[in-house]
Amino acid sequence: MTMPFPIPRRTLLVTALLLAVGGAGLKPAPVRAEATEVRFARNLGLGYLPLHVMQDKGLVETQARAAGLGEVKASYTPLGNPTTITEATLSGNADFGAAGVPAFIIAWDKTRGNVNLRGLAALNAQPAYLNTNRPEVKSLKDFTNKDRIVVPSVRASYQAIVLQIAAEQAFGPGQHATLDPQTVSLAHPDGTAALLSGKTEITAHFTSPPFQDQQLRDPKIHKVLSSYDVLGGPASFSALWTSAAFHDANPKLTKAVLAALEESVALIKADPQEAARAYIRIETSKLGVEEVAAMIAHPEISYDLAPRGIGTFTDFMARIGSIRNRPADWRDLFFADIHDRAGS
């Protein structure tokens, strides 16, 4: 359009700027899009089967599409040490971490008031066995200073904390750390290989399914105790957590992850064999489908998102100084998304 008189260039620039600012003020602020990728870091074994099924069946992707989020990529990284998993979530290399309940409690305690890691759900309840290749070891009191006991992470993993509880039961009040000098950190597959070989300093392994079952097939290996013996019954073994920042910035995606977990658990309960096939595919395991399905359907193992027995861990860990903050209720550790569950 031609103007009836020339307009200075500076005036045109100022006018354009004012129009841009005024126009922006008339429009609502753009809605911040949720993440298009979600990354999981998990530990090893059947305690994380809901994540194996989610990965195998693409459940997060399906639930994300149903929630109107479009195409979301989900990736899963197996790590054998719960401390490394926590570090992955804190460093931004993973959005969700999945490990044993005590490791999660320590992460919650250490990040209160800053990153604020909290649980989205429990994953399952299962017993962990302390197995040994020394026939003379019948109880914790039979271990000597020469023995080395494998746990996933010293003083931080589910097995390490249960071992401390068991030590206090065996040796008396205040003696929870009696066996700590004999513990070493190894991933479950490495600990299993060392125990079965009988050629290393490793004489015991506090592990979980399917590794404990594989070990007990060898006649030279026997069980010393079960975590259920120590804890007085079933309790949640593993949990899934994320940061408050990710949770709050991605409400629809977080709900899609929770819905995928629900779908995964339903499949595990309805079809243990298909869940076993999913586990074998993801892990490229040489175990048989029937063998893994039998472990999944074992009466001592249950897959449920409701946290169970959390107070047993938090009370003990606060008393011995593993955590500084004692939660008043299990809900203090978990996002409100599952506060309606019958947890404990």
Side-chain angles (χ1 to χ4, degrees):
M1 181 176 70
T2 59
M3 296 294 181
F5 53 87
I7 300 176
R9 183 171 181 273
R10 178 179 175 82
T11 302
L12 288 171
L13 290 173
V14 172
T15 302
L17 179 61
L18 289 172
L19 287 172
V21 172
L26 295 174
K27 298 177 183 177
V31 177
R32 183 178 175 183
E34 297 199 22
T36 57
E37 180 180 7
V38 57
R39 301 158 300 166
F40 298 86
R42 61 161 175 81
N43 213 318
L44 311 177
L46 287 172
Y48 310 94
L49 181 62
L51 299 185
H52 289 87
V53 173
M54 282 165 53
Q55 180 178 359
D56 185 69
K57 305 297 181 185
L59 300 185
V60 171
E61 294 88 338
T62 300
Q63 291 292 344
R65 285 192 293 271
L69 293 173
E71 295 303 315
V72 171
K73 177 184 177 183
S75 60
Y76 302 79
T77 301
L79 299 170
N81 185 300
T83 303
T84 305
I85 293 168
T86 299
E87 290 171 352
T89 57
L90 293 177
S91 65
N93 290 312
D95 304 305
F96 285 89
V101 165
F104 154 60
I105 293 170
I106 291 172
W108 167 84
D109 179 65
K110 289 185 175 180
T111 62
R112 284 193 70 193
N114 43 77
V115 178
N116 290 319
L117 294 178
R118 299 181 72 188
L120 183 64
L123 297 177
N124 88 331
Q126 65 182 23
Y129 294 168
L130 173 60
N131 293 336
T132 183
N133 58 16
R134 285 187 57 209
E136 62 271 29
V137 174
K138 306 299 182 184
S139 72
L140 296 189
K141 292 184 177 181
D142 296 324
F143 285 114
T144 70
N145 292 334
K146 294 182 179 180
D147 290 300
R148 292 296 178 267
I149 304 168
V150 170
V151 294
S153 181
V154 172
R155 291 186 292 277
S157 61
Y158 175 96
Q159 289 84 349
I161 297 299
V162 172
L163 185 61
Q164 289 185 329
I165 298 173
E168 191 171 77
Q169 292 172 357
F171 300 107
Q175 301 301 309
H176 57 273
T178 298
L179 294 174
D180 282 4
Q182 279 101 282
T183 57
V184 295
S185 299
L186 281 178
H188 293 304
D190 298 329
T192 296
L195 184 69
L196 291 173
S197 75
K199 297 177 181 179
T200 72
E201 63 180 356
I202 303 303
T203 58
H205 188 186
F206 210 159
T207 183
S208 65
F211 308 101
Q212 61 198 27
D213 305 84
Q214 292 174 269
Q215 294 170 8
L216 290 172
R217 290 187 306 200
D218 189 319
K220 297 191 295 293
I221 308 297
H222 71 274
K223 179 175 69 175
V224 179
L225 59 80
S226 163
S227 61
Y228 281 9
D229 300 332
V230 178
L231 300 174
S236 290
F237 174 84
S238 51
L240 181 73
W241 68 80
T242 188
S243 66
F246 184 89
H247 175 275
D248 296 346
N250 300 277
K252 289 185 178 180
L253 182 53
T254 300
K255 289 186 182 300
V257 170
L258 188 58
L261 281 173
E262 296 272 21
E263 189 177 355
S264 176
V265 166
L267 185 150
I268 292 168
K269 292 178 178 179
D271 195 345
Q273 287 199 336
E274 180 55 28
R277 283 189 283 268
Y279 177 83
I280 291 168
R281 281 192 290 263
I282 295 299
E283 292 292 339
T284 61
S285 172
K286 296 180 180 179
L287 294 172
V289 171
E290 295 296 335
E291 182 180 11
V292 176
M295 296 178 198
I296 294 170
H298 193 283
E300 287 189 322
I301 296 179
S302 64
Y303 291 90
D304 189 352
L305 304 187
R308 301 168 60 188
I310 303 298
T312 301
F313 290 110
T314 56
D315 289 350
F316 174 79
M317 294 168 72
R319 179 166 58 80
I320 69 169
S322 290
I323 58 173
R324 291 178 294 178
N325 303 283
R326 184 199 299 264
D329 185 81
W330 68 267
R331 293 176 180 84
D332 294 343
L333 286 85
F334 288 82
F335 289 108
D337 304 69
I338 61 162
H339 283 186
D340 59 341
R341 310 295 172 107
S344 61

